[in-house]
Amino acid sequence: MAGPIKDCVISDSSSNELMLAKHVSYISAYSKKKDDYEYCMTEYLRMSGVYWGLTVMDLMHSLDQMDKDEVLKFVKDCQQECGGISASIGHDPHLLYTLSAIQILTIYDATDTINVNKVVLFISALQQPDGSFCGDKWGEVDTRFSFCAIACLALLKRLDAVNIDKATQFVLSCMNFDGGFGCRPGSETHSGQIYCCVGFLALVGGLHHINADMLGWWLCERQLPSGGLNGRPEKLPDVCYSWWVLASLKIIGKLHWIDKDKLVRFILATQDEETGGFADRPGDMVDPFHTLFGICGLSLLGNKDIKPVNPVFCMPEHIIRRTGIEMDLF
């Protein structure tokens, strides 16, 4: 006999208004608190943190509050001799942080800050004979890294540097019977991996390989009675899946299958009405990661106070249009 559905309760007193000014203040202040315990303890993902902050500030019409010169110097200082970019100065380079860095530089239209040719060589060297990509020299393979590699190269206009056909074959080998994708062949379907694989296929013209109805149904089943979305069955809802699930649905043309009003209510209930910022669930601590994805989710759901977000790159749509990148969307 099945147990109760794992979900959270939204209080009747939860806010139903987007407190945009407080979120701007929260991100702006967070970027300046370099002596705080939380800031110091997240050094291992600093580059992604900078990307989260810049992107959400741009989406909230407030990019000018960030220190452009400081950001560009940080990115430049994190490029290693091999060409890859690390999470912070002195750390090992990785595809995850290389993508964050390229996204940052694209937002500022400043890719000439780094040695682009070395970045391309770093990425191409990580492709394996079966078409997959390792995240770094230590050899972990994951479809997240396939997306990171192709997204980086697309932003740099260098998709010619890797074997796209083999890369596509590997991603398709990770497709499951339910229409979703896992991190490797045979791995469990997960919303985050679906986003990576669907985004990858959108960039290489491969969305025709997807059964959009089957995949869309699996993704829509992630919505719980609270309105929130989870990453896989039997898990609690989390604001970050307002991005992973919704972006995937947007790419395959099934965004209208979600109960938008209930999801908006869930996202708004995760705001901290005093400090600003979004948490994973109502009542939890806020952070920049969930703040970005809460705002992105609201953008995909049509909030006019937020700039449109591109569903493949998780960047402001106007930035992607400026690059001229073409992608395959349903």
Side-chain angles (χ1 to χ4, degrees):
M1 182 176 179
I5 295 174
K6 293 182 179 179
D7 201 357
C8 61
V9 177
I10 298 178
S11 169
D12 291 338
S13 62
S14 295
S15 175
N16 58 6
E17 293 184 9
L18 176 61
M19 295 171 284
L20 211 57
K22 284 187 177 291
H23 302 317
V24 169
S25 297
Y26 167 72
I27 294 294
S28 180
Y30 190 94
S31 68
K32 297 177 174 66
K33 296 177 179 177
K34 295 182 171 56
D35 294 327
D36 280 11
Y37 175 79
E38 182 183 358
Y39 188 93
C40 294
M41 291 302 292
T42 55
E43 182 183 22
Y44 68 96
L45 46 71
R46 179 76 65 241
M47 188 65 70
S48 291
V50 174
Y51 152 70
W52 300 332
L54 287 178
T55 300
V56 75
M57 288 294 268
D58 196 351
L59 290 170
M60 297 189 296
H61 305 273
S62 300
L63 183 61
D64 60 337
Q65 293 194 30
M66 307 301 275
D67 190 329
K68 177 180 177 180
D69 292 339
E70 180 184 12
V71 168
L72 295 183
K73 182 180 185 304
F74 173 69
V75 174
K76 183 176 182 178
D77 290 346
C78 287
Q79 184 172 30
Q80 308 297 311
E81 185 58 34
C82 65
I85 299 171
S86 57
S88 194
I89 297 168
H91 289 231
D92 288 341
H94 196 286
L95 264 178
L96 291 172
Y97 308 116
T98 300
L99 174 58
S100 292
I102 299 304
Q103 289 171 305
I104 291 166
L105 296 177
T106 303
I107 288 173
Y108 279 131
D109 196 16
T111 53
D112 59 351
T113 300
I114 57 170
N115 187 323
V116 170
N117 288 331
K118 280 193 170 184
V119 172
V120 173
L121 289 173
F122 170 74
I123 295 171
S124 61
L126 291 172
Q127 187 170 29
Q128 304 304 297
D130 66 353
S132 65
F133 285 86
C134 295
D136 58 17
K137 66 180 182 180
W138 304 112
E140 180 187 7
V141 169
D142 190 308
T143 46
R144 289 179 301 156
F145 309 148
S146 295
F147 173 74
C148 289
I150 296 307
C152 277
L153 295 174
L155 289 171
L156 296 173
K157 308 295 179 65
R158 290 298 308 275
L159 284 172
D160 60 301
V162 296
N163 189 321
I164 296 295
D165 289 341
K166 281 196 170 184
T168 302
Q169 290 170 18
F170 174 75
V171 168
L172 292 176
S173 75
C174 299
M175 185 187 294
N176 291 321
F177 70 92
D178 54 17
F181 295 83
C183 59
R184 289 181 294 276
S187 295
E188 177 187 13
T189 293
H190 188 280
S191 300
Q193 305 297 150
I194 288 173
Y195 163 77
C196 291
C197 294
V198 169
F200 171 98
L201 292 171
L203 290 173
V204 302
L207 284 180
H208 60 281
H209 293 292
I210 290 176
N211 183 328
D213 286 347
M214 184 184 294
L215 179 58
W217 181 257
W218 190 93
L219 289 167
C220 288
E221 285 189 320
R222 305 281 60 77
Q223 189 163 34
L224 297 167
S226 66
L229 302 166
N230 62 18
R232 51 198 170 107
E234 302 301 322
K235 297 296 182 180
L236 287 168
D238 188 318
V239 156
C240 70
Y241 294 112
S242 303
W243 172 253
W244 311 119
V245 172
L246 283 191
S248 300
L249 287 169
K250 177 71 172 179
I251 294 169
I252 65 173
K254 305 296 182 185
L255 186 60
H256 59 289
W257 286 8
I258 284 285
D259 187 325
K260 295 184 179 182
D261 292 340
K262 288 180 70 175
L263 180 53
V264 168
R265 182 168 180 263
F266 174 83
I267 295 172
L268 293 177
T270 69
Q271 299 175 106
D272 188 310
E273 299 180 30
E274 295 181 8
T275 67
F278 291 76
D280 56 351
R281 285 176 283 280
D284 287 354
M285 290 289 291
V286 301
D287 60 70
F289 173 84
H290 289 96
T291 300
L292 169 63
F293 293 127
I295 290 293
C296 285
L298 293 173
S299 176
L300 287 174
L301 292 168
N303 189 294
K304 300 302 182 184
D305 293 326
I306 304 167
K307 292 182 182 180
V309 64
N310 181 272
V312 174
F313 286 100
C314 194
M315 296 168 62
E317 186 65 59
H318 72 94
I319 299 292
I320 301 304
R321 287 179 181 169
R322 187 186 68 203
T323 68
I325 296 172
E326 296 184 2
M327 59 196 76
D328 181 19
L329 303 177
F330 272 68

